[in-house]
Amino acid sequence: MSIPSHDKLKEFEFAVSAVARPAPGPSPPLPSPPLRAVSWDLSALEPPASTSRGPAFCPILAGRPQLLSGRKMSGLYAAAEETAGSRQALQEKANEYKENQKISHVSLRPLQATVLEKIPKVCLVPFSLSDYKPGEFKLPKSLLNKNSKDEVACKKCKKIEIQKTFTTVLIPKTKGTTSSKAESTLQKSHLDVPVANNKRQRLSTLDTAVLGVDMEGSPDGDSDEDTTLGLDDFSGLSPYERKRLKNISENANFFASLQLSESAARLREMITKRQPPESKRKKPKKRENGTGCRRSMRLQNVDPSGVSLPETPTQPTVVEDENPLLPPGPLEMTPENQDDNNELFKGFLQTWAEASKTSRSKNTEKELSSIKSYKASLGGMVISGDTVCKVTKGSVLSMALHPSEIRTLVAAGAKYGQVGLWDVTHQPKEDGVYVFQPHSQPVSCLYFSPANPAHILSLSYDGTLRCGDFSKAVFEEVYRNERSSFSSFDFLAEDASSLIVGHWDGSMSLVDRRTPGASYEKLISSSMRKIRTVHVHPVHRQYFITAGLSDVHLYDARRLNPKGSQPLISLTEHTKSIASAYFSPFTGNRVVTTCADCKLRIFDSSCMSSQIPLLTTIRHNTITGRWLTRFQAVWDPKQEDCVIVGSMAHPRQVEIFHETGKRVHSFLDGECLASVCSINAMHPTQYILAGGNSSGKIHVFMS
């Protein structure tokens, strides 16, 4: 770009006001949206009064100025100082131009305005910032009188009264970005510029430039000619800048011809006038004199003649209990699945009574057989289809085997308060099953009396303890407490005259069957929150053990206190809920517990001291889930060192473990045993095993 000449100056200082500094690299293509003009107030560019510089000539290019390097600027300043004339003459020129144009000062304050259908025209004005004060800025008359084209441009500038601003054409989408870049560029003009003599001097504020823009629209195409004429006059512009300004004017004309503003205005009117249709449904009008829904005379409580009837008193509805308690007192043995008047039932009762009489008396001197012979005897036990039968309707929760050696008699307590009796040796097997209903809730514990095997005692959640007498065909009531729920019981005396009963709320009851009535002798509170099982020591019958939620306690019946009893010994090795705890059958020197942490634990109870040591821990899956009865490991009454427990393993089986933790035998049969037997019982003298599942079916393994 060539430097324009001047009468007083040979070289001029170029100060470029960069509204938007272009990014490095090739120039991006011109955007197509409508042009917008943004005015900038140049009051912030006023230098201090003490600044003295030579005259400068500032070309302001519309939209894309070119910046000169610091080295070139310093050379221009040096040449201007050497060839500059009298500063007073320049000041007079500036004052003369100020008086002609009536310009007091300029300010830098962004004023935005949108101009459509206007052609920008650029006017380059020489000026000087040497020793001027705010409000004393002038333009020399030489530029105004230079030629006719300049006069036209200056006259047009006069028409809009150059209000101390310069206007630059911007793109609408980059308006905000350009404004921020412009402010940063103007602030950078205060940076220090090195001079030719390598002395650092602070450069004065960027020399003020006045850009006169003529925004006259010409519908007949005169604007294009005027713009071209104005551009040709400035010979200092490069071809690229001329082409760029020409493109800007052509784009402005093109967008003005599209009349986008008018179309947008019409669309706004259409949007405001359009209203969404009403989609609300009209509510039906209420009938003022309508009769409404038809109602029968019975519902209206009137007789056929229309006379109102007297209101009938409403009686409160009584909600029936799902499991009502059975009446107190003895209940007759009435089978639910058989006819009680036939000869079969009478023969059934007679068979159970005779089996009880012929049962061998208890042998106090029991000998422990060897493991080898014991395993051989277990290996001879088999199951068949004749020894599998459904006895009860619900899950089997308790089971007992009659001690008779002549006939195999099995008793099972069920979930819905039933007690089922099955004569396994009777054929057909369906005729040997009799089901009774002595309770209304689950039967959790079932024993044959050790003194009289013709008596079977059953305990239920409903708070009743009954004794079934086969000789009398009646269920007598031994103990009843409707305020509490029972969980387990055992015989304190060998003649079965006294009992210890455990409650679900953690309390215990002492019951004497010799006392008339169905009440307790003593009700004891304990430190346990729940009691699941109660078992009496087979030799020292004053001791009994209870299994609770997560603890096992050993009590002395002679030291029970109704207000609260403390256990003699507590087993604290368990980490989860405990299902059962039982003494070994002969000597009571071992205790086996079943815990929900998938472990069977065997303790040494031979010495009743302050602590019972743990002997063996057996890993065994005890997670039965919601629908299966919980496992309870019990001792084999013939073998004191072996326990019997159900299994979740496949194929389904019943396992026997030695007290050392070794597996002794597994009862399994793929055809006849296809379910989990949670509750198991072994015959006291014979090799007969009975297991009950959660559907009421009993599986019997026998030699």
Side-chain angles (χ1 to χ4, degrees):
M1 186 178 70
S2 60
I3 302 175
S5 59
H6 194 269
D7 297 335
K8 302 294 182 180
L9 298 176
K10 293 180 180 180
E11 293 184 12
F12 300 93
E13 179 183 29
F14 286 84
V16 180
S17 174
V19 177
R21 185 183 298 274
S27 301
L30 293 176
S32 58
L35 301 176
R36 293 180 181 270
V38 180
S39 332
W40 299 89
D41 203 353
L42 300 179
S43 61
L45 295 180
E46 296 177 359
S50 62
T51 305
S52 62
R53 287 293 177 191
F57 184 80
C58 180
I60 304 302
L61 303 181
R64 194 179 182 90
Q66 294 183 354
L67 303 179
L68 299 181
S69 63
R71 183 176 298 177
K72 187 174 181 180
M73 292 288 293
S74 61
L76 292 176
Y77 278 120
E81 289 180 358
E82 293 176 0
T83 59
S86 174
R87 294 181 180 178
Q88 185 176 2
L90 293 178
Q91 185 66 35
E92 291 177 358
K93 290 288 186 179
N95 294 339
E96 182 181 356
Y97 182 78
K98 175 181 175 182
E99 292 176 358
N100 294 338
Q101 299 298 329
K102 298 180 180 180
I103 296 175
S104 59
H105 65 278
V106 291
S107 63
L108 181 58
R109 189 170 298 167
L111 301 174
Q112 300 183 3
T114 303
V115 181
L116 298 176
E117 301 182 4
K118 301 299 181 180
I119 307 303
K121 186 173 294 184
V122 180
C123 176
L124 302 180
V125 181
F127 67 96
S128 174
L129 295 179
S130 303
D131 299 329
Y132 84 96
K133 295 181 180 180
E136 296 183 356
F137 179 73
K138 278 189 177 183
L139 291 179
K141 291 183 179 180
S142 58
L143 181 63
L144 299 176
N145 299 328
K146 185 176 181 181
N147 50 42
S148 60
K149 295 179 182 179
D150 290 341
E151 290 177 2
V152 173
C154 292
K155 287 180 181 179
K156 291 181 179 180
C157 291
K158 267 189 175 183
K159 289 182 181 180
I160 61 175
E161 297 180 355
I162 307 174
Q163 299 179 357
K164 301 146 288 189
T165 61
F166 67 96
T167 306
T168 307
V169 178
L170 295 177
I171 309 304
K173 293 183 179 180
T174 60
K175 179 175 62 175
T177 308
T178 308
S179 302
S180 62
K181 289 182 179 180
E183 294 179 2
S184 62
T185 306
L186 291 173
Q187 292 174 0
K188 290 179 181 179
S189 63
H190 295 276
L191 298 175
D192 295 338
V193 179
V195 293
N197 54 2
N198 296 329
K199 293 182 180 180
R200 297 188 57 85
Q201 299 178 359
R202 177 166 294 278
L203 189 62
S204 62
T205 307
L206 184 64
D207 297 339
T208 308
V210 178
L211 176 63
V213 182
D214 185 11
M215 295 299 176
E216 295 181 357
S218 58
D220 55 352
D222 294 339
S223 299
D224 197 6
E225 297 176 0
D226 295 343
T227 304
T228 306
L229 183 63
L231 292 175
D232 293 340
D233 182 59
F234 302 110
S235 59
L237 295 178
S238 63
Y240 170 76
E241 295 296 340
R242 293 187 182 187
K243 185 177 181 180
R244 181 174 177 277
L245 294 177
K246 183 178 180 181
N247 291 340
I248 291 174
S249 62
E250 291 178 356
N251 290 340
N253 293 334
F254 172 73
F255 282 107
S257 64
L258 294 178
Q259 299 180 354
L260 296 177
S261 59
E262 297 178 2
S263 302
R266 289 195 300 269
L267 288 175
R268 292 192 194 94
E269 293 178 0
M270 294 172 61
I271 292 173
T272 53
K273 290 181 180 179
R274 183 182 301 174
Q275 296 179 357
E278 296 182 0
S279 60
K280 296 182 179 179
R281 297 178 59 183
K282 296 182 179 180
K283 296 182 179 180
K285 297 181 180 179
K286 296 182 179 180
R287 298 179 181 179
E288 297 179 358
N289 299 327
T291 57
C293 299
R294 296 180 59 185
R295 299 178 63 191
S296 64
M297 302 183 73
R298 178 181 62 82
L299 295 176
Q300 296 179 12
N301 199 23
V302 296
D303 59 3
S305 61
V307 180
S308 300
L309 298 175
E311 296 183 359
T312 57
T314 58
Q315 297 180 356
T317 58
V318 180
V319 179
E320 296 183 358
D321 190 2
E322 295 181 357
N323 300 313
L325 290 176
L326 298 178
L331 299 175
E332 293 183 0
M333 279 189 178
T334 303
E336 293 185 346
N337 60 334
Q338 300 286 349
D339 187 5
D340 58 347
N341 295 325
N342 57 14
E343 297 296 331
L344 291 176
F345 178 63
K346 293 180 180 179
F348 174 79
L349 293 178
Q350 186 178 358
T351 300
W352 280 78
E354 292 178 354
S356 300
K357 292 180 182 179
T358 58
S359 61
R360 191 170 59 183
S361 61
K362 182 178 180 182
N363 185 12
T364 57
E365 295 181 0
K366 295 182 179 180
E367 294 182 359
L368 185 65
S369 60
S370 63
I371 293 295
K372 186 175 181 180
S373 61
Y374 180 67
K375 291 179 66 175
S377 301
L378 295 177
M381 299 171 62
V382 294
I383 188 174
S384 63
D386 295 335
T387 58
V388 178
C389 182
K390 185 175 177 61
V391 178
T392 60
K393 293 182 180 180
S395 303
V396 176
L397 301 181
S398 57
M399 186 175 296
L401 278 172
H402 194 277
S404 174
E405 296 179 357
I406 300 174
R407 307 184 72 89
T408 303
L409 305 176
V410 183
K415 180 179 180 180
Y416 300 108
Q418 300 171 338
V419 173
L421 301 177
W422 179 29
D423 184 2
V424 180
T425 58
H426 189 277
Q427 293 296 331
K429 60 181 180 181
E430 288 79 9
D431 295 339
V433 177
Y434 288 85
V435 181
F436 306 96
Q437 188 78 38
H439 304 280
S440 60
Q441 293 185 18
V443 179
S444 58
C445 193
L446 198 66
Y447 285 113
F448 285 99
S449 173
N452 185 6
H455 293 171
I456 182 170
L457 284 84
S458 59
L459 177 139
S460 175
Y461 289 4
D462 59 2
T464 59
L465 174 62
R466 295 182 180 273
C467 176
D469 190 350
F470 298 113
S471 60
K472 297 180 181 180
V474 66
F475 285 99
E476 296 179 353
E477 192 171 62
V478 177
Y479 176 40
R480 185 183 185 92
N481 188 348
E482 298 181 358
R483 299 180 179 180
S484 181
S485 179
F486 301 158
S487 60
S488 179
F489 81 99
D490 199 4
F491 303 102
L492 280 176
E494 293 184 2
D495 59 355
S497 59
S498 59
L499 310 173
I500 180 71
V501 180
H503 300 238
W504 280 110
D505 58 0
S507 60
M508 296 173 289
S509 300
L510 286 176
V511 179
D512 193 343
R513 297 177 63 186
R514 295 166 294 187
T515 303
S519 181
Y520 57 82
E521 296 294 328
K522 188 184 293 186
L523 183 64
I524 303 101
S525 300
S526 68
S527 58
M528 304 179 69
R529 290 179 292 174
K530 281 186 179 181
I531 295 178
R532 296 186 184 275
T533 60
V534 175
H535 196 242
V536 178
H537 196 281
V539 178
H540 307 286
R541 305 196 72 89
Q542 70 273 16
Y543 299 115
F544 64 92
I545 193 169
T546 59
L549 287 179
S550 59
D551 45 7
V552 177
H553 290 175
L554 182 65
Y555 290 92
D556 189 349
R558 299 169 297 182
R559 300 180 181 179
L560 295 178
N561 187 0
K563 295 183 179 180
S565 299
Q566 296 297 326
L568 297 178
I569 302 172
S570 297
L571 308 181
T572 59
E573 287 81 2
H574 305 85
T575 58
K576 291 188 178 180
S577 176
I578 303 170
S580 62
Y582 295 105
F583 284 109
S584 58
F586 293 167
T587 62
N589 292 336
R590 300 289 184 268
V591 173
V592 60
T593 61
T594 307
C595 185
D597 58 0
C598 296
K599 291 180 181 179
L600 306 179
R601 293 175 174 86
I602 297 177
F603 298 86
D604 183 7
S605 58
S606 57
C607 181
M608 295 293 182
S609 60
S610 60
Q611 187 176 2
I612 296 179
L614 175 65
L615 291 181
T616 309
T617 300
I618 304 173
R619 292 288 302 176
H620 187 72
N621 186 6
T622 58
I623 307 300
T624 56
R626 177 180 180 183
W627 307 109
L628 299 180
T629 308
R630 298 185 67 177
F631 290 158
Q632 292 184 3
V634 295
W635 295 98
D636 186 349
K638 301 181 301 297
Q639 194 76 15
E640 191 180 53
D641 54 356
C642 293
V643 295
I644 306 168
V645 65
S647 176
M648 296 292 294
H650 288 275
R652 300 307 186 189
Q653 53 192 292
V654 178
E655 297 178 316
I656 296 182
F657 292 94
H658 193 260
E659 63 178 8
T660 58
K662 295 181 180 180
R663 183 185 301 173
V664 177
H665 186 73
S666 295
F667 297 96
L668 52 88
D669 189 289
E671 295 181 358
C672 299
L673 182 60
S675 58
V676 177
C677 292
S678 301
I679 305 298
N680 301 277
M682 184 72 81
H683 195 278
T685 58
Q686 303 293 322
Y687 283 93
I688 299 173
L689 173 68
N693 64 9
S694 295
S695 63
K697 188 177 290 187
I698 295 178
H699 305 75
V700 178
F701 290 85
M702 56 193 306
S703 299

